[in-house]
Amino acid sequence: MSEQQPHQFERGTDGPKVIMAGVDGSESSLRATAYAAGLARRQNALLALVYVQPVMAAGASLGAPVSGTTEEIAEGLVEEIRTSAERVKDLWRVRWEFRTFKGDAYAGLVRAAEELKADAVVVGVSESAGHRFVGSVAVRLVKAGRWPVTVVP
């Protein structure tokens, strides 16, 4: 019978491969993005930034150009993220990608996390007063219990 060697701890081989952050341009989502970027840098993980374009059926039925508006928001977010990444490129080496999904924020983030095979989800705290009664996206993600969720104030 051979003797088993005790397992040695392998530093740096485990940990998240994909850290996903929900971003919508709000101050709390931008803080969540910065927090997630730090996690991704330290873990050498991919930072997946996700914007969920809201589908506003009521606005669309009244003839409002909803699609173009949400596309403009997404393009503005990409530009802001690229500018920020360029500013810190020599200090922080973070692999990142930006994706957009359409739908309600919760369903879009769930779909994104599944498609990206996210190991962790980072979101900002809701800035909407109505979410105290209905439940924020962050609370719904935590309750889903499918990924570790960090809510950044």
Side-chain angles (χ1 to χ4, degrees):
M1 188 160 26
S2 67
E3 287 185 35
Q4 288 187 342
Q5 296 292 328
H7 294 289
Q8 291 184 341
F9 178 74
E10 297 181 42
R11 185 175 198 93
T13 58
D14 294 335
K17 296 207 183 309
V18 177
I19 296 174
M20 185 184 94
V23 61
D24 63 6
S26 66
E27 288 296 318
S28 66
S29 80
L30 296 176
R31 284 191 299 271
T33 298
Y35 183 85
L39 289 175
R41 179 183 56 83
R42 289 186 296 279
Q43 295 290 332
N44 195 29
L46 172 68
L47 172 62
L49 303 172
V50 175
Y51 169 62
V52 180
Q53 297 178 26
V55 176
M56 299 175 206
S61 68
L62 296 173
V66 175
S67 175
T69 303
T70 59
E71 291 292 333
E72 288 173 18
I73 292 169
E75 289 171 16
L77 287 170
V78 168
E79 190 53 40
E80 190 171 339
I81 292 163
R82 281 198 179 114
T83 301
S84 296
E86 186 65 28
R87 262 188 254 133
V88 297
K89 73 176 183 182
D90 294 329
L91 300 173
W92 289 13
R93 304 234 185 265
V94 176
R95 294 177 300 120
W96 65 276
E97 64 182 49
F98 181 83
R99 297 221 189 152
T100 62
F101 291 79
K102 292 188 180 185
D104 96 355
Y106 171 75
L109 290 174
V110 167
R111 186 169 142 225
E114 288 172 350
E115 285 185 21
L116 293 163
K117 294 180 177 37
D119 296 301
V121 176
V122 181
V123 292
V125 69
S126 174
E127 295 181 357
S128 171
H131 286 161
R132 284 181 237 160
F133 304 106
V134 178
S136 69
V137 171
V139 168
R140 292 171 66 194
L141 288 168
V142 169
K143 286 183 177 181
R146 297 166 69 183
W147 314 271
V149 177
T150 301
V151 182
V152 177

